[in-house]
Amino acid sequence: MEAVIARVLDRHLAERPDAPAVIARGGALTYAGLDAAAGAAAGALWELGVRPGMRVAACLPNDLDIVTAFHGAQRIGAVWAGIGEALAPAEQAALAAMIEPTVILAGPRCGIEADNSKKSRVLDTRAWRVLTARNLTAPPVTADPHAPAGIAFTSGTTGAPKAITHSQHNLLLPARVLAATRGYGPDLRKGDSFPLTILNLQVLCTLLAAVSGGTAVVMDRRDPDGVAEWIQRSRATVWNGAPAQLHDLAARPDLDLSALSEAWTGGGDTPEHVRAAFTAAHRIPVVVSYGLSEAPTCVSIDPPDGRHREGASGRVLEHLDVTAEEGELIVRAAQDGPWKKQWRPPLGLWRDGHVTGGGDQVATGDIGTVDAGGWLTVTDRKKLMIVRGGGNVSPAEVERVLTAHPAVRRAAVFGVPDDRLGERVAALIVPGTGVTEEALAEFCARRLARYKIPDRWGAAAELPVNAMNKVIRPALPDLLGSAPPLQK
């Protein structure tokens, strides 16, 4: 089995070099083409001064560049980090400042300015393509499979971003397990319209396809017509979408998704009625999963034989052991079976130029159960995280922005149920003089990604608090229902 990502293409290069490896808006690459492009990306990064252990950040759209740059970075032992295009420029710059990348690959929606990037060199897409076209060669690097290789940004209950650090071993293992347990091979065409700036998606699209010998279909549209167009054109066999996308596609039985053998979606945030409606409209089974940035990617998934249990998020994958301790789901390495003791938790958090923390397990922050058959059910979130259409929103982060407005005395942000998105972001405001919904939304838009901005607002004379002056959050939805609106 492959020890490092640099070797993941070797078997296919020997046996099927002309087979399709990646399809994207910018074109297609065979395995030989992907190998050559990854080599050119490694050479370009080396020319820019990137060395093993240095960070490479990419704020790029879903296209060939983000795939080839990822493979190139891994070949020279660099640490990869994706920075979401949907984030506000201030958020993008804050993530870059946290990890101090040597190079930032900047697409058209990247708002990180060279003058603000300190030690980082910012290359736009045109400059990057000119450099890679020189086909420079990096010297041979023997990458350590257990050294830092990828950073996933996530927010905790405080709203402060965390930089979860994984090794190449961590990133390859879930791809290998999924390929083996689901029987994926060269016929796999794995379609994803989630941004590949999310580290989990590099695993579930790029690496899963490469391990299987199949094709990664890198989609650049998330709307129903765009997804259907991609599926038809690429003949994708597996597509991974958010519950909101399934909701929209279920309402469009006229769209042709017939190339799919299954559609994946995420866990406890997928209502059963949405799953049933999608299957009724398109006659395609929906595979429900549950995953974490810390895992990385899938922890559990519906088995390939088509079984599903209502309310469950599939069965725990064979390389993991998940237990419910005082209700919270805890992830450890499997202690028996074909993948025993192969999983390792994240290396830790990237802070101040190095990795700190780590351990032998991951506390998920989710409340749930795992039965004797390995079926995992998430019943509640211990964390306060709002999941809006597949995107995580930290209430604390949004509250900090709102309370920075001079006309806001206090704010409480929380999720409210929504049939399409799973949850919407709501805010109760204790207003000062002259505050309006429009002004707050505009204030947020300069500091937050669009999906984090509240779309339900209410005014309150005071927020319900306990003896420690902490907001009593279970009372917020009822208070919102009776609260007067903010001024428009």
Side-chain angles (χ1 to χ4, degrees), residues 47-48 101-105 114 117-123 131:
E47 177 75 4
L48 293 167
T102 302
V103 170
I104 300 172
L105 303 179
S117 61
K118 297 181 181 178
K119 300 177 182 178
S120 303
R121 182 166 179 180
V122 181
L123 268 75
L131 185 56

Side-chain angles (χ1 to χ4, degrees), residues 207-229:
L207 293 183
L208 178 56
V211 166
S212 304
T215 307
V217 179
V218 181
M219 302 177 174
D220 63 350
R221 288 179 62 180
R222 299 190 66 186
D223 61 289
D225 290 291
V227 169
E229 177 191 325

Side-chain angles (χ1 to χ4, degrees), residues 414 428 464 471-481:
F414 52 100
L428 274 170
V471 173
I472 303 171
R473 292 188 175 269
L476 296 177
D478 287 343
L479 184 57
L480 178 68

Side-chain angles (χ1 to χ4, degrees), residues 322-386:
V322 182
T323 56
E325 301 179 13
E326 297 183 354
E328 183 176 8
L329 297 171
I330 307 295
V331 180
R332 298 184 180 87
Q335 296 302 301
D336 52 33
W339 305 94
K340 66 179 181 181
K341 299 183 180 180
Q342 292 199 35
W343 180 77
R344 300 188 181 196
L347 300 175
L349 299 180
W350 192 277
R351 287 177 179 160
D352 301 323
H354 60 279
V355 179
T356 62
D360 60 0
Q361 64 183 35
V362 168
T364 67
D366 290 324
I367 305 300
T369 61
V370 181
D371 71 12
W375 289 90
L376 183 151
T377 302
V378 177
T379 57
D380 199 2
R381 294 184 179 275
K382 183 177 179 181
K383 298 175 183 176
L384 300 176
M385 197 70 69
I386 302 163

